[in-house]
Amino acid sequence: MRHLLEDLNTIMQRDPAARSKLHIALAYAGFHAVVIYRAAHWCWRNHLKPISYFLTYFCRFLTGIEIHPAAKIGRRFFIDHGMGVVIGETAEIGDDVTLYQGVTLGGISLHKGKRHPTLQNGVIAGAGCQILGPITIGENARIGANAVVLQDVCPDMTAVGIPARMIGAVKPDCFAAYGSISASDDPVARALETLTAEVAALKAQLATVQSTAPYPNTNAANAG
């Protein structure tokens, strides 16, 4: 019960659309999925696996979110919107993690060992991103929307793209909804902005030269 109250408080803090704890309890599919997962995980740990599988299936039917009952999830976990989220069997999620819709914590191997990602404390995974394999996403890292992450991401870094690459450090005290970044945080965007500015300056210089250059002596040419 204490964890569920923490989850409610967390959603109130992270989602400006949340009107009240009652609103969350009645209308937030992500909260419902976490509640059902915690019950299913308890059943899994206490050798009630048939019940845990039934609860997982019921959760997917009710919310569109699939969390394997064996996955390990910490406190203050928030799934925003949630439809299409998939969390695999050996996935591990720390405290204060936020996932948006369409996130997959998937495996890319058929062996039965550790094959799903580990998300450490404070990670934010943007909508539609795919985090695949037994990799580690470091504390407070940000994964941009629709990124495909196949390698470890260092703590406090932002990763974007397909395949994902780290592009810079996370700004302190920045929640970064959807794992989003501004153009100023992207070195590729900064390089393009610099090139655009240089081209504009060259065009201006060329226009100045053309306007001040003497016109050819057309009379002399005609006389010849």
Side-chain angles (χ1 to χ4, degrees), residues 16-220:
R19 295 292 180 263
S20 66
K21 293 178 182 178
L22 179 62
H23 173 212
I24 296 167
L26 294 178
Y28 270 55
F31 176 73
H32 300 157
V34 172
V35 171
I36 297 171
Y37 155 77
R38 297 202 188 282
H41 185 64
W42 184 90
C43 292
W44 181 273
R45 289 189 294 107
N46 288 276
H47 310 292
L48 300 172
K49 291 185 178 180
I51 298 176
S52 70
Y53 282 128
F54 172 78
L55 289 172
T56 298
Y57 177 80
F58 177 70
C59 177
R60 183 173 60 183
F61 172 80
L62 180 67
T63 67
I65 298 168
E66 182 175 346
I67 307 175
H68 195 285
K72 298 176 181 177
I73 299 177
R75 297 163 61 180
R76 298 177 295 278
F77 179 50
F78 179 30
I79 302 176
D80 198 359
H81 303 296
M83 179 64 69
V85 167
V86 176
I87 300 175
E89 177 184 10
T90 62
E92 299 177 52
I93 298 175
D95 298 335
D96 302 299
V97 171
T98 300
L99 306 184
Y100 287 88
Q101 67 270 21
V103 171
T104 298
L105 306 185
I108 54 175
S109 171
L110 296 178
H111 73 80
K112 293 185 178 297
K114 174 68 172 171
R115 60 189 187 279
H116 297 93
T118 296
L119 276 57
Q120 296 182 343
N121 298 342
V123 169
I124 298 176
C129 73
Q130 312 295 302
I131 306 174
L132 307 175
I135 61 176
T136 298
I137 310 301
E139 288 194 6
N140 301 313
R142 304 291 185 260
I143 309 300
N146 296 315
V148 177
V149 187
L150 303 173
Q151 297 180 341
D152 293 350
V153 175
C154 297
D156 301 306
M157 295 294 287
T158 297
V160 299
I162 303 174
R165 68 191 190 283
M166 289 181 281
I167 62 167
V170 174
K171 293 181 179 179
D173 303 320
C174 177
F175 179 71
Y178 292 89
S180 59
I181 59 168
S182 66
S184 61
D185 295 326
D186 188 344
V188 176
R190 290 200 300 270
L192 290 174
E193 289 174 356
T194 301
L195 288 173
T196 301
E198 289 178 353
V199 169
L202 288 172
K203 285 183 176 180
Q205 291 177 5
L206 180 59
T208 300
V209 170
Q210 289 176 336
S211 65
T212 58
Y215 289 100
N217 191 336
T218 56
N219 292 332

